[in-house]
Every structure is written in structure tokens, then in C-alpha cells.
Amino acid sequence: MQASAAGLFKSLHHAIDTKGVTKLKPGQLVSGKVQKLLPNNQAVVTIAGNEIKAVLETPLNSGNSYFFQVQSTAQSLHLKVVSQQALTQDADGLARLLTQMGEKATTENLQLLRQLRAQSISFQKNNLSAALRILQGSPSPQQAIKMIVHMMKNQWPINNATYQAVQAKQTTQLSTLISQLSHDLDGMDSSSRKPNTLLLNRLHSLTGGSRSGAFTENVLAQVVSDTAAGKPSSFHVLKAAGLVDEQLRFADFQRTMLKWTNQQGVNRHTEHMAKADVLQYMNGHQAQSFKASPILLHGQNAESALQSLMTQQLPITQDEMDVLRQFTQQLSRLAKQTSHAAMSQKMLTNLTFLSNHHVINKLGANPGVDSLSILTTLPEMVNHQPLNSLQTQDVQRLVQQLQSVLTKQLSGDQHKQLIDWLSKLGSEAGSHKEMVYVRMKAMLELTGLDDEFQLRQHIKHDQSPKIESSMKSLLLQFMQESDSAVRPERVQQLIHLLNGLQMTASQESSHSLHLSLQFPGDLMDANQDIFVDIEGGKNEHGEIDPDFCHILFYLQLNALQETVIDMNVHNRRVHLTVFNANTELSGLLEAHQQALQDGLDRIGYTLGSVKWKDFNEASRHTPAGRSSIAAAEHVQGVDFRI
């Protein structure tokens, strides 16, 4: 980002960061200033921006700053003064503290400690020692100090791996690294490139650089691999898309596919055949017989069917999906006149739930559901059973539509599989909006940003950990196995960046959640990476409440250049402010306002306002709010004991 846009993006982000929490833990050091002495050995002390009342068990002087060590957070926060000598504005006090901790009082060490004191950042003594070692080995001390302060402020592990991840996040572009690595792999000879087929495909998925035929090959390769291993996941995706008969059983489909696979001579030992093996074989054989597969993937039929399946996925939680399934069953019984009073009341309760959670609005955006209007009269129908013939027909029609929608909903793994396939389509397939959406989903689901989370989930549910072909896992495998001419530092840099994206992707307190996302600029033909920050209070599912949230976008567009979009959502009413240096943008926004309104209406939102501002408006947005110290939330009366 240029300085103007970066400053604006930061100020807008800080303006909504009102619920940050500084957690103090035993053993940590934190600076504080004695603001005022009170009777009975009490004082007002400022720590981490909070003025609190403390009991003094050690004589301190008003107006002086000290470093404190956290002794306990069990019942009340107990702090111990590290040094009786106050921290003065010059370097003497900090130098004495460093010496006391067994560290050298170099210029850079003093600068780091001064930054920690100025921002009231708490830290462990061993973390400070580790930070000073990183600082000592850095060729750019000033840049290193900024990154170390950022790490300690977020209480991340202080080690070289974390530092390299933060450094990569702040200094490199995802678009650039992916493009460079793709170019290197494409330039390898065919024999050297084969072991890295999956990695190259994954890189192309994120940038839209998949070659012609990649879609068909990847779908077939996954289906062949899954059926050989007895996994029905890809079969269910094809079935939901209507590419195989809905009455067909997986066992029959498996036999058909294995017979066809053997006819192609792909592999005699199909039970050990991975997707990469199939792709390598298909890349090396141009046989036309591949186009005669049992699932008929040639032509536009498969592409349009899978794209249509993606648009029919409901953006709702699992709890909401369970209630929708139950509600559909209850409607079906109502139409069959087998619903009793208690079940009817439960059905109305479920209808209220679905309405309040905006599931009904989301169903209304589905082109296959056009009978929702009868729900407005459902309470009356329930109270005056049995239904007449016309009412019965209306309810049956809605039940059929809802059942059709539900049969097309995919599980988490199946949805990820669909994203993988659609990301192989060329830019000419589907609308630009649809392809941007697919590649954004691919970035979130296929890069490996959630690898560790998925591993924990499998362990939690006592399942065998799966080795997924995420970009991160493929990069790690490449580093371990490859002896190619591809520069290993480039691969390592991309791994560091993915780690950095993982670390900064989510920050949360007990009541709020902040997501920070980064996408390759190729998604929208942008010159640089795209940044998206989403922040808001949590709903009952622990997710950002979509009714009340704040979203920031940073784009470096070819025509409009640097653009920051500030989107506030209040009670599902959307207010947009576009910051850009182009004064003609105001007229463009007005021309597209109705289309924006119509799009928001379809998903249950209304447009409040749209306006353009120049970057110099950033000065009007000032950081607001103060952090709180979680360890003292429950303390009443005297807050601290020192």
C-alpha cells in the first residue's frame, strides 16, 4: 500500500477496534505510571491505557513510571515492582533494567524496550531475551523493532519462525510469490515437473492460470482416486450436481469407474492410486478415450452443472441447516394431514427461528424457491386444520422446493472439493463475479490456512488425520523431497507468508471477532494483493454477527488505482464510503447504486448510503476506545495490589 491508503486503512481499522483485550499473565513485565497517591496506601496507576486503583505495599512516587512483574491473577491482580528506581525519560532507567535482566544496554535494545514501555506491552523476561537475539541478528534493526513490537503486542511466540512469518506478511506480495513459483515450475522439463503436478495445479487455481483441459482432468483424476479408495465424497458432489443418476448407488458407480479405469490402463493397482498419479498419467497420454468417461465431463454440461451447484449452496450455519431440515419435514407432515398440535407449534417456533436468522431471506434468493409467500399465512393454516385442497397443494409445492434445495447442500469436505474443481475453470467460464467468488473461496479453503485446525478436529473426533493436498502441505513436501532447480528460498518465503496469514487471520475477545484476509490481486486483475478486514460483535454461534459488522477493503485497481472501501452494517442496513483520489468516482457510484440496492435486497439487506471521499478525509477518522485488562474484569473496589 502507498502511505496515504495505508494510513487511512489503519485509522479506519483502529476506529472499530474498541474491544481489544490485553491479557496479563503471571511472570509478565508491564510498565505503568503512578498518576496520583491516595490515602490508606492506595494510588491511581495507569497500565495499558487504563486508570485503576491499587493498594501499595511498596512506596512509590507520584508521576513516576515503573516496570512491574505480574505475580498473580487468581483473585486480584498482584504486581511486583521490578526496580525501586523510576523509569526516567532518558536511557539510564531502561539501561539499569536491561543490566538487571542480564542483557546488554545497546542502542537497539534500548529502543525496543522504550517502545514496549511507551505502548504498555506486557512480556515475559525470556521472551524479551529471545526478541533481543532476533534484533541482534537483523540487518535492519529499525524494521525488526517494529515487527518485534507487533509480535509482543499480540503475545505471539517470540522465535525466528514467527518473526519470519510476520516479516513475510509485511514485506511480500502473495500475488508476486505465487506468480514467480508458478513460472519456475512451468519452466521445468516434463519429467521434473510431474512430481509437482498437484502443487502447480494448486498455484494456478489461485490465479486463474489453469490451462485448457485442467478442469476435466482434475475432476476425473479425483473421481478415479476416490472410487479406487472407496471414498464416496466426489460421487456425492457429482450426484448433487445432477451429473450422475440420483438413483445410482455408490457401489454400482464404483464398479463402473474401476472397469473404465482399467480399460484406460491408468494403473493396475488402483487401490493405491492417488490423484497425482492419475494426473501424471493423463498428462502423458493424449488418448481420446478419456473423453468417453462414465460421467460425461466433456463439453459445457459439467461446468455449468457444477457452477449451478455452487450458487445453490446456502450460506447458513449447521444449526440453521438442521432447523431447516426439521421444518421441511414438519411442513411435509402438515400437507399429509398427519401433523398434531404439539408438532404444529414446534413448526411455528422453527419458522420464527428461520425468519429471525434470515434463512427465509436467503432461501428467497434461490431461483428454485418461489413459494415462500405462503409462509405468511402458515400460522393461520396451522390454527385451522385440516388444510383445504388449495392450501395442501401450495404447501406440497414448497416442500418439494425445499427438499430439492436440501439435497444439493454439501458437507464441508464436499464443498471444498467443489471449490477445487471450479477453480480449474478458465476465465471464460461463467461470470466474472462467480469466478472471483470461487477463487476467493479457493484461497481460504485450499491454501492450508486451516490445516492445523482440521488436524485438531480430526484428533478431537478420534479420526485418522487426513493428509490434504493444500498448497501449504504441498510446499512443505516440495521442500523435503525436491532437488529441482527451483529456488528453495522462494518456496520457503511463500510458506512463511502463509504462516503469517494464519497468525493474523483471526483475533478475538469474549465479545468481538476480527478477521484479516489477503488475496492475490489476480482475482480482480488488481496490481497488488487485495486486503479485507472484517470486524464485529459475536453472535450466539461465536461468529461475527452479519447484522452488525464493519468491513474494510483495500484494492489497487488498474483504472481507479488505490481504493479503500469502508462498509458499515447496522441492523442489516449497509452504509458504503469509497475513498479514492479520482473525483469522477462519485458519479460512477451513483450510476451503479440501484444495482447495488437490488443485490442487497436479494440477500435481506438494505442500502443506507453510498458516498465518495478523498484520502484527505482520513484525518476525520481517529482511533477510539481503550483496551481493557481481562485479568481485572472481575475485580471490584481496589483493582490491583502492588
Side-chain angles (χ1 to χ4, degrees):
M1 295 186 194
Q2 297 294 326
S4 56
L8 172 61
F9 201 77
K10 183 177 180 181
S11 67
L12 290 171
H13 168 66
H14 283 178
I16 59 176
D17 190 12
T18 60
K19 296 183 179 179
V21 176
T22 301
K23 297 181 180 180
L24 295 180
K25 301 176 183 178
Q28 286 183 324
L29 298 177
V30 64
S31 66
K33 183 176 182 179
V34 180
Q35 299 289 357
K36 184 179 180 181
L37 295 176
L38 303 174
N40 301 320
N41 294 326
Q42 297 184 18
V44 176
V45 181
T46 300
I47 295 180
N50 294 270
E51 286 191 355
I52 49 88
K53 188 187 294 183
V55 172
L56 299 181
E57 297 179 356
T58 299
L60 300 178
N61 295 322
S62 178
N64 286 345
S65 296
Y66 301 86
F67 261 109
F68 304 101
Q69 186 174 46
V70 181
Q71 299 296 297
S72 172
T73 60
Q75 297 179 352
S76 63
L77 191 59
H78 183 193
L79 304 177
K80 176 184 177 182
V81 181
V82 175
S83 174
Q84 291 295 325
Q85 294 176 307
L87 296 174
T88 57
Q89 293 298 321
D90 57 33
D92 291 344
L94 297 177
R96 287 193 298 269
L97 180 61
L98 284 171
T99 302
Q100 184 178 336
M101 297 173 64
E103 303 291 348
K104 295 181 179 180
T106 64
T107 301
E108 290 79 12
N109 290 356
L110 289 170
Q111 287 179 337
L112 174 59
L113 197 57
R114 190 176 291 113
Q115 287 290 320
L116 297 176
R117 183 189 67 175
Q119 299 185 41
S120 297
I121 297 174
S122 60
F123 56 90
Q124 298 280 1
K125 179 181 176 181
N126 61 330
N127 282 340
L128 179 63
S129 298
L132 295 179
R133 287 195 296 271
I134 293 174
L135 180 57
Q136 183 180 7
S138 172
S140 304
Q142 298 305 314
Q143 188 68 23
I145 289 173
K146 292 180 181 179
M147 288 187 285
I148 291 171
V149 168
H150 185 63
M151 291 163 58
M152 299 183 80
K153 185 176 183 179
N154 288 282
Q155 298 188 10
W156 291 333
I158 308 301
N159 52 47
N160 282 322
T162 304
Y163 178 79
Q164 289 170 335
V166 173
Q167 185 180 44
K169 177 70 167 62
Q170 295 187 3
T171 61
T172 57
Q173 289 276 318
L174 187 61
S175 306
T176 302
L177 289 178
I178 291 178
S179 176
Q180 290 174 342
L181 186 55
S182 298
H183 181 269
D184 289 347
L185 291 173
D186 277 327
M188 298 169 62
D189 61 77
S190 57
S191 60
S192 301
R193 190 169 59 240
K194 281 185 180 180
N196 303 305
T197 302
L198 287 182
L199 175 57
L200 188 58
N201 282 348
R202 183 66 71 237
L203 294 170
H204 285 163
S205 299
L206 301 178
T207 60
S210 297
R211 60 178 175 77
S212 176
F215 167 77
T216 302
E217 289 179 3
N218 274 270
V219 175
L220 277 177
Q222 189 66 59
V223 172
V224 169
S225 177
D226 283 355
T227 53
K231 299 177 181 178
S233 179
S234 55
F235 166 73
H236 287 311
V237 177
L238 295 174
K239 196 171 186 179
L243 291 172
V244 296
D245 191 285
E246 62 179 13
Q247 302 300 324
L248 186 65
R249 298 181 306 164
F250 174 67
D252 296 329
F253 177 79
Q254 185 181 28
R255 281 193 294 271
T256 302
M257 284 302 303
L258 290 177
K259 179 180 178 180
W260 176 82
T261 300
N262 290 331
Q263 291 173 349
Q264 311 310 309
V266 177
N267 197 323
R268 295 182 179 221
H269 306 287
T270 53
E271 66 273 17
H272 302 299
M273 184 168 49
K275 179 181 177 181
D277 299 325
V278 186
L279 281 173
Q280 288 176 27
Y281 183 89
M282 295 173 76
N283 288 340
H285 295 74
Q286 304 297 325
Q288 292 296 313
S289 57
F290 281 115
K291 295 185 177 181
S293 68
I295 49 178
L296 301 176
L297 288 173
H298 58 287
Q300 298 297 314
N301 181 48
E303 296 180 7
S304 59
L306 291 172
Q307 286 175 323
S308 175
L309 180 61
M310 172 59 73
T311 63
Q312 296 181 70
Q313 299 306 298
L314 293 174
I316 61 178
T317 67
Q318 186 58 53
D319 288 344
E320 292 166 347
M321 182 69 72
D322 293 340
V323 173
L324 178 59
R325 293 184 188 279
Q326 186 181 70
F327 178 70
T328 303
Q329 293 172 354
Q330 292 163 343
L331 273 181
S332 177
R333 292 182 181 180
L334 177 65
K336 296 175 182 178
Q337 311 291 352
T338 60
S339 176
H340 51 76
M343 181 178 296
S344 297
Q345 289 306 312
K346 177 61 176 175
M347 178 173 57
L348 294 180
T349 300
N350 285 339
L351 175 61
T352 300
F353 175 91
L354 295 173
S355 297
N356 292 340
H357 287 246
H358 308 288
V359 176
I360 301 300
N361 286 334
K362 294 171 183 176
L363 283 168
N366 191 303
V369 181
D370 59 10
S371 302
L372 291 172
S373 59
I374 69 167
L375 294 180
T376 59
T377 61
L378 186 62
E380 182 180 350
M381 286 190 286
V382 167
N383 293 328
H384 297 84
Q385 297 186 55
L387 307 184
N388 60 43
S389 59
L390 183 60
Q391 290 173 328
T392 300
Q393 291 176 7
D394 289 341
V395 173
Q396 287 176 337
R397 176 177 171 81
L398 177 58
V399 168
Q400 292 172 353
Q401 292 175 355
L402 294 179
Q403 288 174 340
S404 177
V405 170
L406 288 171
T407 58
K408 295 183 180 300
Q409 301 309 301
L410 304 176
S411 68
D413 288 341
Q414 293 166 2
H415 187 266
K416 189 173 290 190
Q417 182 63 75
L418 178 60
I419 291 292
D420 182 28
W421 289 346
L422 291 179
S423 66
K424 303 300 188 300
L425 290 173
S427 57
E428 70 283 354
S431 69
H432 182 66
K433 180 185 69 173
E434 291 171 346
M435 295 315 300
V436 168
Y437 173 74
V438 165
R439 291 188 179 117
M440 290 182 76
K441 294 287 288 184
M443 177 64 198
L444 295 175
E445 298 189 17
L446 304 180
T447 54
L449 297 180
D450 64 344
D451 276 0
E452 286 75 10
F453 171 78
Q454 294 297 337
L455 180 60
R456 288 195 300 270
Q457 289 297 106
H458 285 112
I459 294 175
K460 178 180 178 181
H461 297 290
D462 198 25
Q463 299 173 345
S464 299
K466 296 181 180 179
I467 302 177
E468 301 289 352
S469 56
S470 69
M471 187 169 74
K472 183 178 176 182
S473 64
L474 293 170
L475 288 168
L476 291 170
Q477 183 178 346
F478 181 92
M479 289 292 294
Q480 295 172 355
E481 300 178 358
S482 178
D483 56 355
S484 68
V486 175
R487 295 166 57 185
E489 63 270 19
R490 187 165 287 167
V491 179
Q492 188 65 66
Q493 186 77 346
L494 185 51
I495 293 173
H496 289 325
L497 179 53
L498 291 176
N499 288 335
L501 294 176
Q502 280 182 292
M503 291 167 48
T504 59
S506 174
Q507 299 179 37
E508 63 181 303
S509 68
S510 56
H511 303 292
S512 64
L513 184 62
H514 171 231
L515 303 178
S516 181
L517 309 174
Q518 183 173 342
F519 301 94
D522 310 72
L523 291 176
M524 300 180 64
D525 297 323
N527 298 329
Q528 296 182 14
D529 285 354
I530 300 166
F531 297 87
V532 182
D533 276 18
I534 309 172
E535 191 163 23
K538 291 181 179 178
N539 59 20
E540 63 269 26
H541 303 292
E543 303 165 339
I544 288 180
D545 187 348
D547 298 350
F548 299 89
C549 59
H550 191 160
I551 307 176
L552 294 172
F553 302 86
Y554 169 81
L555 306 165
Q556 175 67 285
L557 301 172
N558 287 326
L560 296 177
Q561 300 301 311
E562 280 198 308
T563 304
V564 173
I565 302 174
D566 181 10
M567 186 172 86
N568 277 287
V569 182
H570 183 79
N571 198 23
R572 299 186 76 81
R573 191 169 180 82
V574 177
H575 299 270
L576 280 177
T577 302
V578 180
F579 294 85
N580 188 277
N582 191 332
T583 57
E584 298 178 0
L585 189 58
S586 179
L588 292 175
L589 291 175
E590 185 176 348
H592 291 87
Q593 188 164 331
Q594 187 58 51
L596 179 59
Q597 174 69 73
D598 294 342
L600 290 172
D601 284 343
R602 285 193 293 270
I603 56 175
Y605 289 84
T606 58
L607 182 62
S609 62
V610 180
K611 53 188 175 181
W612 166 86
K613 287 186 179 181
D614 201 345
F615 283 142
N616 56 24
E617 295 289 338
S619 59
R620 300 185 183 181
H621 299 267
T622 55
R626 298 189 308 173
S627 63
S628 60
I629 298 181
E633 284 180 345
H634 60 283
V635 181
Q636 299 179 354
V638 174
D639 303 291
F640 295 90
R641 183 159 55 95
I642 302 176

